[in-house]
């Protein structure tokens, strides 16, 4: 760590860099350090339950694996772990898609904020890390995931987003809701149907968080670096 900080001071802070260059430098240093130190999660089993080999799975689940790998470049461990129970795999991802991929008043970034904030409250490492990566991508903000995971009330979010997160966290904790909670959403252009969406996402991931704890689900290493370095359009 001392050597790392010395390198930062000598090669970074004595010169003026663009934000993207700073983030890229830090990301590469962290990745290299974790690889050398053996801290990568790939050295830990991704589940305490048996993880089936793809060749042993039903064709529709193998097809789902192929689609995921084509879209992301890897197969998220949640898919590998849930494949242990094919019927539950199908039900999980069908509901996930119904909630997270539907068009509506909530943006993709707002949905991911809900997942990160409620998953942090439930101490779910897998969902915080994996959906924190998606939040960084959809928000185009490499700092927002950690801010919300640490303390969403202090994060750099808009009043509308803060109202969404306040409602979502109450649902995630199973707190009693009253008309004032719904009125707070309506003040930011969010309807009763939007409240349902916020609540359904919070509830779904409350289940997902607990299942991740039961299985000791581990996030893919790839998630840690996703969305941290802005794309350099000049290249």
């Amino acid at each position: 760590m001392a050597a790392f900080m010395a390198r930062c001071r000598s090669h970074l802070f004595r010169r003026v860099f663009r934000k993207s260059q700073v983030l890229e430098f830090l990301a590469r240093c962290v990745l290299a350090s974790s690889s050398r130190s053996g801290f990568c999660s790939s050295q830990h089993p991704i589940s305490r339950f048996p993880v089936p080999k793809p060749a042993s799975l039903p064709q529709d689940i193998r097809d789902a694996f192929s689609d995921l790998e084509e879209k992301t470049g890897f197969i998220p461990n949640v898919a590998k772990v849930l494949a242990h129970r094919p019927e539950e795999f199908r039900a999980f991802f069908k509901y996930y898609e119904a909630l997270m991929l539907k068009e509506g008043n909530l943006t993709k970034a707002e949905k991911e904020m809900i997942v990160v904030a409620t998953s942090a409250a439930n101490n779910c490492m897998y969902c915080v890390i994996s959906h924190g990566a998606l939040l960084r991508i959809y928000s185009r903000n490499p700092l927002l995931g950690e801010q919300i995971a640490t303390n969403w009330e202090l994060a750099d979010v808009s009043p509308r987003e803060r109202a969404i997160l306040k409602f979502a966290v109450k649902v995630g904790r199973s707190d009693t809701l009253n008309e004032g909670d719904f009125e707070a959403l309506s003040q930011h252009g969010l309807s009763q149907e939007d409240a349902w969406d916020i609540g359904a996402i919070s509830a779904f991931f409350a289940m997902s968080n607990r299942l991740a704890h039961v299985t000791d689900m581990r996030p893919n290493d790839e998630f840690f670096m996703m969305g941290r370095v802005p794309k350099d359009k000049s290249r």
Side-chain angles (χ1 to χ4, degrees):
M1 181 59 71
F4 169 74
M5 293 304 298
R7 186 181 177 191
C8 285
R9 287 193 294 269
S10 61
H11 294 285
L12 186 62
F13 296 125
R14 291 181 182 177
R15 297 177 58 186
V16 177
F17 282 87
R18 293 180 314 194
K19 182 179 179 181
S20 62
Q21 291 176 307
V22 172
L23 290 169
E24 183 174 8
F25 172 76
L26 291 174
R28 288 178 176 175
C29 285
V30 169
L31 183 60
S33 176
S34 65
S35 298
R36 289 194 302 268
S37 303
F39 292 154
C40 291
S41 62
S42 59
Q43 296 188 1
H44 191 289
I46 67 172
S47 174
R48 60 166 49 97
F49 290 84
V51 177
K53 294 182 179 180
S56 69
L57 293 170
Q59 186 61 50
D60 63 317
I61 296 182
R62 281 185 281 164
D63 291 342
F65 275 20
S66 296
D67 290 342
L68 286 168
E69 190 167 22
E70 183 177 351
K71 291 176 183 177
T72 64
F74 61 96
I75 301 171
N77 286 342
V78 62
K80 297 177 184 177
V81 172
L82 292 184
H84 176 61
R85 293 194 169 186
E87 286 300 321
E88 293 177 36
F89 175 103
R90 296 183 183 101
F92 181 95
F93 282 103
K94 186 172 183 178
Y95 195 28
Y96 173 91
E97 291 174 359
L99 292 175
M100 302 301 284
L101 303 185
K102 66 177 284 188
E103 296 293 333
N105 192 22
L106 297 180
T107 67
K108 290 182 178 179
E110 287 170 342
K111 291 179 180 180
E112 297 300 338
M113 289 180 194
I114 293 169
V115 181
V116 173
T118 57
S119 296
N122 287 326
N123 300 312
C124 181
M125 180 173 68
Y126 185 92
C127 291
V128 167
I129 291 171
S130 61
H131 289 274
L134 294 176
L135 175 55
R136 291 192 296 270
I137 291 170
Y138 291 141
S139 67
R140 299 182 181 181
N141 183 343
L143 310 180
L144 193 56
E146 278 79 8
Q147 288 183 355
I148 290 178
T150 303
N151 188 338
W152 64 267
E153 295 182 272
L154 297 179
D156 296 327
V157 296
S158 69
R160 168 188 160 108
E161 292 163 346
R162 199 173 303 281
I164 289 172
L165 294 178
K166 184 175 182 179
F167 188 93
V169 169
K170 287 194 73 171
V171 174
R173 291 195 305 244
S174 199
D175 289 350
T176 300
L177 297 173
N178 55 51
E179 291 307 309
D181 296 307
F182 290 84
E183 176 60 28
L185 292 178
S186 69
Q187 292 176 7
H188 298 281
L190 294 155
S191 69
Q192 195 169 44
E193 292 300 313
D194 296 326
W196 181 300
D197 288 338
I198 296 167
I201 293 169
S202 302
F204 176 80
F205 279 94
M207 179 275 291
S208 180
N209 297 157
R210 286 154 177 78
L211 190 55
H213 286 309
V214 169
T215 60
D216 192 22
M217 194 182 300
R218 309 291 289 195
N220 304 65
D221 292 344
E222 290 88 343
F223 284 126
F224 288 88
M225 306 313 300
M226 289 170 60
R228 294 193 183 279
V229 181
K231 293 182 178 179
D232 188 347
K233 296 181 180 181
S234 66
R235 294 180 182 178

